Amino acid sequence: MGRYVIRRLIQAIPVLLGATLLIFVIVFALPGDPIAALFGDKRPDPAVAEVLREQYHLNDPLLLQYWYYISGVLFRGDFGVNFADVPVSQLMAGKFQVTLNLAVTALVMEAVIGVGLGLFAALRRGKASDTMILAATLLLISVPTLVTGFVLQLVLGVKLKQWTGADIFPVAGVFAGWRSYLLPGFVLAGLGVAYLTRLTRTSLVETLRADFIRTATAKGLSRRRVIGRHGLRNALIPMVTYLGADLGNLMGGAVITETIFNLPGIGNQLFQSVYLREQPVVVGIVTVLVLIYILANLVVDMLYAVLDPRIRYE
């Protein structure tokens, strides 16, 4: 297992280099002058603008700029500074905790609601409840996150407060502690809940048709033990794969949710940095998200051996 982890970490290096180079080229190739954007509506003095371009290596070839950036990340853990000389790591420090709290809340909701509904639908395949769950998940998939966010914000955040007088679901900020993440967490998890419900249902239905399930039933094991110990455990691998990959998606997909609910997280910071053309901040945030995605997939691969003893890594 140790050699496998080391091999995977080595394989992650070209993935990191390729992903960061791609986003670096995309961000820095955007039209417009970031130095001019730094001054807003005012026109900068040409001499001052030239000094700033030299300071931030904007006059250097793109690949040389990328070398300055990636060498700082790999050898010093330095993500650079924005165009106001504020370290990118300092900008990300407090905001990543908010996004991580939001992503973990959404992931827990996905796992609990998605697996629970999928299990319920699989055990009642072909019945009215199964059809209703499939229709509800199709509706969740069809409605954009932006619409879901504003509708739930209005109904559960504003109208419910007017009806009950209790601020159960705060609509903005993180001032209410863990309750601040409930509504945006569900909005962020909505699409994942729908997909995971369908995935769980399909995987469990196929597993319950397997020969070893019939054998376990013929031995006289209780239905709960057959489903829980034999059926669900063998159906868990595609679910774990989805959840592990979705952690990175939730971290990166928080841009819309954090903007709707005004959460001071990394998604909101990414949106503002793109708007203000702060390329170093955009590239730094995406680099960290790529690292999270790589590590999440490594953890998922290691969990395979726990869920299925037949899987071994040499």
Side-chain angles (χ1 to χ4, degrees):
M1 178 68 77
R3 285 180 296 183
Y4 172 77
V5 172
I6 294 174
R7 188 167 66 249
R8 283 294 303 272
L9 290 175
I10 294 175
Q11 292 172 352
I13 295 176
V15 174
L16 177 64
L17 293 176
T20 53
L21 177 60
L22 180 61
I23 192 62
F24 196 92
V25 170
I26 292 174
V27 170
F28 279 85
L30 291 174
D33 185 359
I35 299 301
L38 182 64
F39 287 86
D41 295 332
K42 298 180 180 179
R43 186 171 182 176
D45 181 86
V48 174
E50 186 62 27
V51 169
L52 289 174
R53 291 191 185 94
E54 287 293 334
Q55 178 182 345
Y56 296 113
H57 307 289
L58 295 178
N59 291 331
D60 294 331
L62 189 62
L63 288 179
L64 185 57
Q65 294 181 48
Y66 175 72
W67 167 249
Y68 289 142
Y69 171 75
I70 199 64
S71 61
V73 172
L74 293 178
F75 302 130
R76 300 188 302 276
D78 181 14
F79 291 91
V81 296
N82 66 357
F83 294 130
D85 268 340
V86 179
V88 174
S89 56
Q90 180 179 326
L91 287 173
M92 295 190 296
K95 300 181 184 299
F96 252 108
Q97 185 61 51
V98 174
T99 301
L100 185 61
N101 291 343
L102 178 61
V104 170
T105 301
L107 195 69
V108 171
M109 288 182 175
E110 279 189 22
V112 174
I113 301 175
V115 174
L117 287 178
L119 176 61
F120 184 83
L123 297 179
R124 288 159 178 78
R125 182 169 60 93
K127 297 182 179 180
S129 55
D130 179 31
T131 304
M132 290 176 61
I133 289 174
L134 291 178
T137 56
L138 182 60
L139 180 63
L140 270 177
I141 294 171
S142 303
V143 178
T145 303
L146 190 66
V147 176
T148 306
F150 281 124
V151 169
L152 291 181
Q153 193 177 47
L154 175 63
V155 175
L156 297 181
V158 178
K159 296 298 183 181
L160 185 62
K161 183 179 180 180
Q162 294 175 353
W163 296 333
T164 63
D167 189 14
I168 302 175
F169 299 106
V171 296
V174 292
F175 307 108
W178 63 270
R179 288 191 298 113
S180 303
Y181 297 101
L182 292 179
L183 198 54
F186 181 77
V187 172
L188 185 60
L191 192 63
V193 166
Y195 283 131
L196 188 60
T197 298
R198 287 174 166 262
L199 178 63
T200 303
R201 178 189 179 277
T202 302
S203 180
L204 192 56
V205 165
E206 291 298 322
T207 302
L208 293 178
R209 292 173 177 170
D211 292 338
F212 68 89
I213 294 294
R214 285 193 292 269
T215 302
T217 304
K219 286 182 177 180
L221 298 180
S222 65
R223 181 171 173 79
R224 176 178 296 181
R225 188 173 183 183
V226 170
I227 294 173
R229 183 170 181 178
H230 299 281
L232 189 57
R233 182 173 181 178
N234 282 275
L236 274 178
I237 288 183
M239 305 176 208
V240 170
T241 303
Y242 179 84
L243 287 171
D246 203 40
L247 177 61
N249 296 333
L250 292 174
M251 296 283 290
V255 176
I256 296 176
T257 307
E258 289 181 0
T259 303
I260 294 174
F261 292 93
N262 196 26
L263 299 178
I266 208 66
N268 206 335
Q269 179 66 55
L270 182 61
F271 174 79
Q272 295 176 12
S273 299
V274 171
Y275 179 76
L276 297 174
R277 294 187 53 78
E278 292 184 327
Q279 291 101 324
V281 182
V282 176
V283 177
I285 292 173
V286 174
T287 300
V288 176
L289 292 177
V290 170
L291 285 171
I292 292 174
Y293 196 87
I294 291 172
L295 291 176
N297 278 275
L298 176 60
V299 171
V300 167
D301 286 349
M302 293 170 64
L303 283 175
Y304 286 164
V306 176
L307 295 174
D308 190 345
R310 294 171 298 178
I311 299 176
R312 288 289 179 266
Y313 299 112
E314 299 298 338

